Amino acid sequence: MTPTEPLVRPAAGQAAVRPPLPVKLVIAGGFGVGKTTAVGSISEIEPLTTEAAITEVAAGVDDLSHTPRKTTTTVAMDFGCITIDPTLKLYLFGTPGQERFGFMWDDIVEGAVGGLVIVDTRRLDDCYAAVDYFEHKQIPFAVAVNAFDGRVEHSLEEVRWALDVSEGVPVLVFDARERGSVRDALLVVLEQALARTEG
């Protein structure tokens, strides 16, 4: 079978059915901003996570003041997938949030068409590294402000100014716990990636 042939052979009189196009997206951001939650909210499979317990040593390094109930953290990546429609399937890779795991990012981001940088407005400085990474690699991305407790601390224009992202980068509010909200944010990233290819 050649790569252009359908994987599912149609019965007589039926149209050929092609599998959905696989597209890789990365979900990034600082520690405890909702990356694992976002992947878990939308994945159609049981998400693969690499969560480890936060030790006393890690608690001394990672700022838990805004996430006091957080007991685990991602130490490698999160993985999930979602079929958008019969022609498109998204493979989602969540990065670890701590700077000490930054050496993994190049491998995780390899082949991705875009990224979603999740932001907690109480800790904007935690997402600078992710924004800088996507800008440096020239990978299309959007900034998603996670509405913790149903609210955000700053307006979207204030967030844009603080992160110093261009007008071409979408900045939006979403809720990492809600499937539809995560889907809409990912579709914004897809639109950014498509616009880049057409531009």
Side-chain angles (χ1 to χ4, degrees):
M1 181 180 295
T2 67
T4 57
E5 289 180 313
L7 294 180
V8 180
R9 295 191 183 279
Q14 287 184 328
V17 178
R18 289 193 178 278
L21 178 71
V23 174
K24 180 178 181 179
L25 293 182
V26 173
I27 297 178
F31 171 74
V33 296
K35 301 179 298 295
T36 301
T37 300
V39 173
S41 294
I42 197 168
S43 181
E44 64 194 17
I45 62 169
E46 184 69 27
L48 167 68
T49 62
T50 55
E51 294 277 289
I54 297 175
T55 63
E56 284 186 29
V57 173
V61 175
D62 300 321
D63 180 9
L64 299 175
S65 60
H66 292 287
T67 55
R69 294 187 300 274
K70 188 171 177 61
T71 58
T72 61
T73 186
T74 300
V75 294
M77 69 172 188
D78 299 313
F79 172 77
C81 62
I82 178 69
T83 303
I84 298 297
D85 62 35
T87 67
L88 185 66
K89 187 168 188 172
L90 302 184
Y91 290 88
L92 309 174
F93 290 77
T95 65
Q98 298 94 324
E99 196 171 315
R100 62 184 178 276
F101 296 124
F103 66 92
M104 301 179 191
W105 278 46
D106 284 344
D107 289 332
I108 294 173
V109 173
E110 180 71 29
V113 301
L116 183 69
V117 177
I118 301 179
V119 172
D120 179 350
T121 54
R122 301 168 299 182
R123 300 176 288 132
L124 281 175
D125 55 336
D126 286 357
C127 71
Y128 291 153
V131 169
D132 289 346
Y133 184 90
F134 286 107
E135 287 180 337
H136 177 71
K137 294 286 187 179
Q138 298 185 331
I139 297 172
F141 71 98
V143 173
V145 177
N146 196 1
F148 285 92
D149 301 320
R151 61 191 177 90
V152 295
E153 298 290 324
H154 304 284
S155 71
L156 295 184
E157 280 310 307
E158 288 172 327
V159 171
R160 180 183 298 283
W161 177 85
L163 299 180
D164 193 26
V165 292
S166 71
E167 287 296 324
V169 175
V171 179
L172 53 108
V173 175
F174 90 133
D175 188 329
R177 302 166 300 178
E178 295 185 5
R179 180 182 178 89
S181 187
V182 176
R183 178 205 59 216
D184 291 346
L186 293 174
L187 290 177
V188 169
V189 176
L190 278 177
E191 289 172 4
Q192 285 294 101
L194 183 59
R196 177 75 63 89
T197 60
E198 292 177 344

